[in-house]
Amino acid sequence: MISITRDDIDISTLIEQARKPESGGIVTFVGTVRDDGIEALDLEVCEEIALADLNRIAEEAKNQFSLNTVEIVHRCGRLKLTETIVVIVCGAGHRQEAFAGCSWILEEIKAYVPIWKKDIIGKTEQWHFSTTDK
């Protein structure tokens, strides 16, 4: 599943979707809103382009790291501290490929996917490109 949602992400469902007989390792990354002196984040996404980019990244990762499965779900909208921003689940024959692929996917999302975040600190707001950059 590659998607963008305003809803909470069901991590266990993504892990179940990644389970395949040929996968000996499933690696999961869960990115959350951390307390950097903010109260919340507002995430905006150019959904059509972002979904195309996420699908391209998933396919490249499968080829480059021999992944059997890639699941990526990214949130948008207002998120409070500790809420989940993004979940990446990679399944591969061996753990090394799953770890490497998952890490590479996150860096590609940060670099290329049109997602903007606005830090909310009281009445102050500050925009940033990429939900995972600070």
Side-chain angles (χ1 to χ4, degrees):
M1 169 188 299
I2 308 295
S3 68
I4 296 170
T5 184
R6 290 189 170 278
D7 300 324
D8 288 335
I9 301 171
D10 184 350
I11 298 166
S12 61
T13 295
L14 296 176
I15 293 170
E16 283 306 311
Q17 290 174 340
R19 290 184 187 275
K20 303 289 182 213
E22 63 274 15
S23 292
I26 297 174
V27 170
T28 304
F29 173 80
V30 179
T32 62
V33 180
R34 69 178 174 265
D35 185 356
D36 282 341
I38 65 170
E39 296 171 14
L41 286 180
D42 256 338
L43 302 174
E44 289 196 16
V45 178
C46 180
E47 193 165 336
E48 184 178 337
I49 296 170
L51 283 172
D53 286 346
L54 291 173
N55 278 291
R56 177 191 52 79
I57 289 167
E59 286 306 310
E60 286 183 29
K62 284 179 183 177
N63 293 330
Q64 186 173 341
F65 299 97
S66 300
L67 301 177
N68 299 320
T69 59
V70 173
E71 315 294 334
I72 306 169
V73 179
H74 208 295
R75 298 273 306 274
C76 62
R78 183 159 291 201
L79 303 176
K80 296 179 269 181
L81 295 178
T82 73
E83 285 193 273
T84 300
I85 300 170
V86 62
V87 176
I88 303 167
V89 180
C90 295
H94 302 281
R95 68 182 179 278
Q96 296 89 344
E97 291 90 354
F99 275 112
C102 191
S103 180
W104 183 86
I105 288 168
L106 180 60
E107 296 308 318
E108 291 293 297
I109 291 171
K110 289 170 57 173
Y112 298 110
V113 180
I115 300 170
W116 299 269
K117 72 175 182 177
K118 180 174 28 174
D119 292 345
I120 309 297
I121 309 166
K123 293 183 180 182
T124 304
E125 300 178 351
Q126 183 178 2
W127 284 102
H128 300 275
F129 177 73
S130 178
T131 59
T132 50
D133 257 355
K134 189 71 178 154

